[in-house]
Amino acid sequence: MFAVHLVAFYFTKLKEDQIKKVDRFLYHMRLSDETLLDITARFQAEMEKGLGKDTNPTASVKMLPTFVRAIPDGSENGEFLSLDLGGSKFRVLKVQVSEEGKRHVQMESQFYPTPNEIIRGNGTELFEYVADCLADFMKTKGLQQKKLPLGFTFSFPCRQTKLEEGVLLSWTKKFKARGVQDTDVVCRLTKAMRKHKDLDVDVLALVNDTVGTMMTCAYDDPYCEVGVIIGTGTNACYMEDMSNIDLVEGDEGRMCINTEWGAFGDDGALEDIRTEFDRELDLGSLNPGKQLFEKMISGLYLGELVRLILLKMAKAGLLFGGAKSSALLTKGKIETQHVAAMEKYKEGLANTREILVDLGLEPSEADCIAVQHVCTIVSFRSANLCAAALAAILTRLRENKKLARLRTTVGMDGTLYKIHPQYPKRLHKVVRKLVPNCDVRFLLSESGSTKGAAMVTAVASRVQAQRKQIDEVLAFFRLTREQLVGVQDKMSAELEYGLKRTTHALATVKMLPTYVCGMPDGTEKGKYLALDLGGTNFRVLLVKIRSGRRSVRMYNKIFAIPLEIMQGTGEELFDHIVQCIADFLDYMGLKGAQLPLGFTFSFPCRQANIDKGTLIEWTKGFKATDCEGEDVVDMLREAIKRRNEFDLDIVAVVNDTVGTMMTCAYEDPNCEIGLIAGTGSNMCYMEEMRNIELVDGDEGKMCINTEWGGFGDNGCIDDIRTQYDVEVDEGSLNPGKQRYEKMTSGMYLGEIVRQILIDLTKQGLLFRGQISERLRTRGIFETKFLSQIESDRLALLQVRKILQQLGLDSTCEDSIVVKEVCGAVSRRAAQLCGAGLAAVMEKRRQDQGLEHLKITVGVDGTLYKLHPHFSRVLQETVKELAPQCDAMFMLSEDGSGKGAALITAVAKRMQQARREH
């Protein structure tokens, strides 16, 4: 018994001594946690460098965009081919992906050898060999008659500008075929396939093997957004936010980045970590000075590192009694599979002896223990380095998503990871230690990157088909120049009809005279009351105008108009208005003052004078009875009488568009057009009296309120109305009316978007085909959401948040589509507005017989002010359609309040002048 203990003690002591000896010899290969965190930080900096446009050319970690923008969503189906070139074997695969909610994949594959004379020979012959193998596979599987999409897994660094092309940057691992570098490998493959007349194959995607791994795992686990390969070579890819990728246009969504991390350190960033063995191995490799990180990690090199270490230890007399064998002196004699076998639990030592004996050595017990420990240190360092770089990627993902904790999955593949008994365990442990705020699941990729290439191809063909359908829908909203010129011409004709006595009654653009004939000249002064009724809020203002300095001070109060009053009787509405005025006068301490009053009434009115306005029809959701056909000034006077508390001098009834023009004209006398692009849409301008047949007199000018929202009510723009416009119109309070307004104004744009989203969801192109209750609800998609969603500064994450508030659970891809839909609808609105405005400007230019017209447009309205692109698109359209007009756009500050007071002041001044004559 004692003898057994003695032997055990001797063995333990021997083991400790040998381990200490190796540890001392290889102390530089053992990396502390502190060093690993430092490497993580260095890799983070390298990733930044690779993503930046200016820093990428000199970056060693290339961070190549792959143009893979979406991971599988389970709806993929069909038959796909896949090729895998890059490892020790070449593989052809047919993948059948089926849907029906079941994620099911069937595969048939065939391996072909990659002889050295092919992979290190002539490039053309390499691709011809690949095409021959593919043709052989198609023949044996009876696929010649089928046209199939193909995914090409190519495990070498390529620069891609789209999914289906890639220029080889450099060969790595054992490949060295001539004349391939700097050429498009898809193009080379396609050319080689043309020689086979019976091959009808479409290369849809070129995929790096790492990306293939990520996609294979993502098919089984949607949380997977990182792929790592630790095999012959090593590399990683992950999903990066487009807004961080300078090398690719666009900020929408995410794209998979192939880091090509094997080259980390090629610029000297890891010199303090590299050992003499790393340097010796590098000098003897096919690509000295390149892929230095990979040479410390991957399967192609670990065995060689172990050989170099053992050789040096033997030379120093620390192993095999100083003996060396010719095999130990021969490059490549120890392979990674040997390293894995030596580290096997339990049989590791026996394997070590066997391997060393095969190498012509005579190892002692102590030698076997030492060699085994050398293997452990080399492979442990490999796992540590991998973990440090992976920790940088995980941290980046977490920061991109602005999360305190990240839950994610990493897809893993590669022979070293698969065959080495301890490697996965070590890697996982170190990763979790380096990023404690990430919950990481490691998923082994089944059937590897080739299935992944088929998945990328399946996703690409799904996305391609969906893209086509979405483009077909949005094509209706993309107006050509001819269509816009057509709108401009029709608007010009309608303006003329509205001004002529004979055609006025039938005109859709009403061209209402406003009896506003003068502009402010700076002499206006005094206190005025202004009322503003035109939306869901009603405002009462006190406006103090001081002459000379052109200064205006305003005090106002906002009152809500409840729905039951908007849609009740006319008397109730005007009594409510007078109640609000009484509250305001009380509030301002002006109970008995008899002030001149301007009434901004933003609905179509036929005026017979500046203080007479007959309501033609309600718009914007108002429905009060017994008002249409009545004079609103009279109705207001009646209501003031009924209340019998105060008396007011109602001088002018004003349309908000005219108020907008007047406010701007107070600052800039060149302002002769007023435009509102807000809840509703309207425009007014100063017209020559001689052209206004409805009003007597030919001298001077008068402001015309066009009421252009009704443009198209006679069907003249039906050619550009879509089914969605028709649906919105039919569901509105006034079907068939205000058709132009319904295509251009804030009250309706969100509703058009909602109709499109419903249609796309029905086609299965959005929200996984599920129409939520919320999406069925009219009016949920307010126009302010369009402005928010289209904001350039908004990351897709925030778009998803807005959609979540609407009860729409969207993926990244959904969010991109929703943003596109919003963009198409609002762009069309701005272009249509611009075409209408161009018609008015051209009319003014021709009326005045000018070669060039300089004019200012006063603008108001939430859509124009708050939407990120509306104003720009509108101005560009005007410039394009009316090149001889030089328009300046001026934002109106409170047109409906200040403008009404200014009109009242100008009217008072003109009354005064008439009296004095």
Side-chain angles (χ1 to χ4, degrees), residues 570-790:
E571 260 190 25
E572 287 168 342
L573 175 65
F574 280 92
D575 283 346
H576 179 74
I577 288 172
V578 172
Q579 172 69 53
C580 297
I581 299 172
D583 286 356
F584 179 75
L585 292 174
D586 256 358
Y587 171 72
M588 293 299 295
L590 289 168
K591 212 44 190 283
Q594 208 196 1
L595 297 170
L597 177 141
F599 183 12
T600 299
F601 186 73
S602 313
F603 301 95
C605 276
R606 182 162 284 110
Q607 287 186 253
N609 209 321
I610 195 158
D611 63 351
K612 287 199 176 321
T614 305
L615 175 63
I616 296 172
E617 63 181 341
W618 285 120
T619 55
K620 294 180 286 200
F622 275 75
K623 273 283 198 212
T625 55
D626 307 325
C627 295
E628 292 179 358
E630 299 295 327
D631 182 347
V632 293
V633 177
D634 284 347
M635 291 181 80
L636 180 59
R637 284 192 180 124
E638 295 289 320
I640 291 173
K641 264 196 205 125
R642 274 199 298 279
R643 189 168 179 96
N644 200 15
E645 265 182 39
F646 48 82
D647 199 14
L648 297 168
D649 172 15
I650 304 172
V651 176
V653 59
V654 184
N655 181 278
D656 55 346
T657 323
V658 184
T660 295
M661 181 186 78
M662 286 300 259
T663 308
C664 294
Y666 189 60
E667 312 286 332
D668 175 355
N670 216 10
C671 178
E672 292 204 337
I673 296 180
L675 169 71
I676 286 196
T679 315
S681 172
N682 195 10
M683 194 268 312
C684 70
Y685 70 104
M686 294 304 284
E687 176 59 275
E688 308 296 327
M689 279 292 284
R690 64 172 188 272
N691 293 337
I692 310 172
E693 294 187 2
L694 299 171
V695 181
D696 294 337
D698 283 350
E699 290 307 305
K701 297 188 229 181
M702 181 187 285
C703 178
I704 291 288
N705 164 19
T706 62
E707 286 297 337
W708 76 2
F711 173 49
D713 289 2
N714 57 2
C716 70
I717 52 171
D718 280 2
D719 57 321
I720 58 167
R721 284 176 85 223
T722 65
Q723 68 187 74
Y724 310 106
D725 295 306
V726 173
E727 278 162 10
V728 169
D729 178 41
E730 284 171 357
S732 68
L733 281 168
N734 51 353
K737 301 268 171 62
Q738 302 290 104
R739 288 185 183 177
Y740 181 64
E741 178 168 82
K742 283 171 187 164
M743 294 164 83
T744 55
S745 81
M747 186 157 172
Y748 303 101
L749 297 189
E751 197 47 28
I752 299 174
V753 167
R754 188 180 72 87
Q755 293 293 350
I756 299 172
L757 298 187
I758 288 177
D759 189 39
L760 293 177
T761 309
K762 278 183 186 157
Q763 293 182 46
L765 302 171
L766 270 183
F767 310 130
R768 301 175 190 79
Q770 304 293 313
I771 302 182
S772 66
E773 262 322 296
R774 293 280 290 157
L775 193 56
R776 293 180 202 276
T777 315
R778 282 190 61 79
I780 56 148
F781 214 94
E782 294 168 49
T783 300
K784 70 170 181 196
F785 292 138
L786 260 73
S787 297
Q788 289 170 2
I789 286 171
E790 286 186 68

Side-chain angles (χ1 to χ4, degrees), residues 52-124:
K53 206 182 203 121
D54 303 333
T55 44
N56 175 278
T58 57
S60 58
V61 179
K62 281 297 176 209
M63 302 296 280
L64 302 168
T66 63
F67 294 83
V68 170
R69 297 166 189 266
I71 58 172
D73 68 358
S75 70
E76 292 74 17
N77 68 331
E79 278 188 305
F80 304 94
L81 287 170
S82 183
L83 299 179
D84 187 356
L85 182 68
S88 34
K89 297 194 187 100
F90 163 59
R91 186 178 180 202
V92 186
L93 192 77
K94 185 193 91 153
V95 182
Q96 168 84 45
V97 184
S98 59
E99 52 173 351
E100 268 81 77
K102 296 188 291 292
R103 298 192 168 216
H104 182 59
V105 179
Q106 282 176 308
M107 295 188 290
E108 298 176 52
S109 71
Q110 174 87 42
F111 284 98
Y112 294 90
T114 46
N116 270 345
E117 63 273 18
I118 292 279
I119 65 173
R120 293 190 193 166
N122 171 316
T124 308

Side-chain angles (χ1 to χ4, degrees), residues 251-272:
D251 281 344
E252 299 313 316
R254 306 201 304 166
M255 184 183 282
C256 181
I257 288 287
N258 164 19
T259 63
E260 286 297 336
W261 76 10
F264 178 33
D266 288 7
D267 57 357
L270 295 174
E271 281 316 297
D272 55 330

